[in-house]
């Protein structure tokens, strides 16, 4: 019986192990491909290298996606993020740290540790999955057929329960489904790698690091800036959502949820128009207060 249970556990863990291995390969392929940009365009301005890095990153991810579908294999988005963090951290320890002070290096290592802990916490934390104890739960599979019930604090609409197609589950306070990521490491690593690249360029070629090391330092810096850029936009969007008490899924798919719809028509017109309204918006100060107090 014990042997059978062990075999079942091993069989259940094999797909996850395979996805992690594929994610690790994708990270190495992505980082090494990006290092070709400073290798062949070293004389180009930084903004040109930055734009080319974005195009190369998009191209690599697209080609890898096609290959995965062709081979019938899957990768893990959290594992891809995790291995990217480990790659940058490992490269920093092996190469970049010699160009930065001990104080900055210590802060960077602390940030990396905090991001890894945060990533594990996000992956293991309950996002708000609910059970079948609520009535009319089946109505939320594709959209909400329930209006806002202001007199019932425990109603599904007040709890803003939505159905996640990826998780195939109902989630209380659902915003959107996305892989976990960290941004502090990118911001700090840009500063550290920039110092390393700057100091390396001041050495004579006979005394400098190998070209591939400098190229990899530059490419990882460009990769980190790309990550930081889109995460900054993402962060600003969520600031907006907090201020107006709206979720990403509700904003994008508001036509699925009747409580966000207002039907109106002008006098003398034979047709009606539907516009967006937010029944959860209580004003800027109250919205921020509710967010900070973690109310749902």
């Amino acid at each position: 019986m014990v042997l059978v249970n062990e075999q079942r556990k091993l069989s259940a863990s094999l797909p996850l192990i395979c996805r992690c291995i594929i994610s690790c390969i994708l990270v190495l392929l992505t980082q090494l491909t990006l290092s070709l940009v400073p290798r062949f365009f070293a004389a180009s301005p930084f903004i040109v290298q930055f734009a080319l890095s974005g195009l190369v990153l998009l191209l690599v991810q697209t080609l890898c996606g096609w290959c995965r579908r062709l081979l019938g294999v899957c990768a893990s988005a959290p594992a891809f993020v995790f291995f990217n963090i480990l790659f940058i951290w490992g490269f920093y320890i092996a190469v970049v740290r010699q160009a930065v002070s001990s104080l900055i290096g210590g802060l960077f290592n602390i940030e990396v540790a905090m991001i890894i802990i945060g990533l594990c916490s996000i992956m293991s934390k309950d996002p708000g999955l609910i059970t079948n104890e609520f009535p009319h739960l089946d109505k939320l599979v594709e959209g909400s057929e329930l209006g806002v019930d202001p007199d019932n604090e425990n109603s599904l609409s007040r709890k803003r329960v939505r159905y996640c197609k990826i998780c195939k589950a109902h989630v209380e306070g659902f915003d959107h489904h996305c892989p976990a990521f960290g941004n502090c490491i990118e911001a700090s690593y840009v500063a550290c790698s920039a110092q390393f690249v700057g100091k390396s360029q001041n050495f004579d070629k006979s005394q400098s690091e190998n070209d591939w090391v400098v190229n990899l330092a530059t490419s990882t810096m460009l990769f980190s800036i790309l990550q930081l850029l889109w995460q900054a936009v993402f962060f600003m969007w969520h600031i907006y959502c907090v201020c107006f008490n709206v979720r990403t899924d509700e904003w994008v798919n508001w036509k699925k949820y009747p409580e966000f719809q207002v039907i109106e028509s002008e006098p003398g017109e034979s047709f009606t128009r539907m516009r967006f309204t937010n029944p959860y918006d209580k004003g800027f100060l109250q919205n921020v207060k509710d967010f900070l107090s973690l109310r749902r």
Side-chain angles (χ1 to χ4, degrees), residues 21 32 39 45 49 60 70 83 89 94 118 125 140 148 158 177 196 202 221-222 240 244 254 265-267:
I21 293 175
L32 293 177
R39 170 68 177 84
Q49 295 188 39
V60 170
L70 182 63
F83 287 128
W89 195 11
K125 183 180 178 182
L140 295 175
V148 176
R158 288 298 299 272
H177 184 98
F196 174 81
N202 293 330
M221 178 179 65
L222 293 169
Y240 170 85
F244 291 93
W254 64 273
S265 62
E266 295 293 334

Side-chain angles (χ1 to χ4, degrees), residues 96-168:
V96 176
R97 68 172 180 173
Q98 61 183 289
V100 301
S101 65
S102 299
L103 177 60
I104 296 178
L107 291 175
F108 177 76
N109 288 326
I110 292 174
E111 288 180 354
V112 172
M114 291 176 62
I115 287 178
I116 293 176
I117 294 173
L119 180 62
C120 294
S121 176
I122 292 173
M123 293 172 59
S124 60
K125 183 180 178 182
D126 180 8
L129 301 177
I130 65 172
T131 60
N132 293 324
E133 61 187 23
F134 292 94
H136 311 299
L137 191 62
D138 57 327
K139 294 183 179 181
L140 295 175
V141 172
E142 292 298 334
S144 174
E145 298 296 336
L146 305 174
V148 176
D149 184 0
D151 298 323
N152 185 2
E153 290 288 339
N154 294 320
S155 67
L156 288 175
S157 56
R158 288 298 299 272
K159 289 178 174 291
R160 299 166 88 168
V161 174
R162 311 297 183 199
Y163 182 76
C164 177
K165 295 181 180 179
I166 298 177
C167 295
K168 294 181 173 57

Side-chain angles (χ1 to χ4, degrees), residues 23 58 64 71 85 104 107 152 155 160 167 174 205 208 219 225 274 287:
S23 299
L58 180 61
C64 288
L71 298 175
I85 294 174
I104 296 178
L107 291 175
N152 185 2
S155 67
R160 299 166 88 168
C167 295
F174 178 73
K205 288 189 176 180
S208 65
S219 64
I225 294 176
M274 182 172 61
N287 291 339

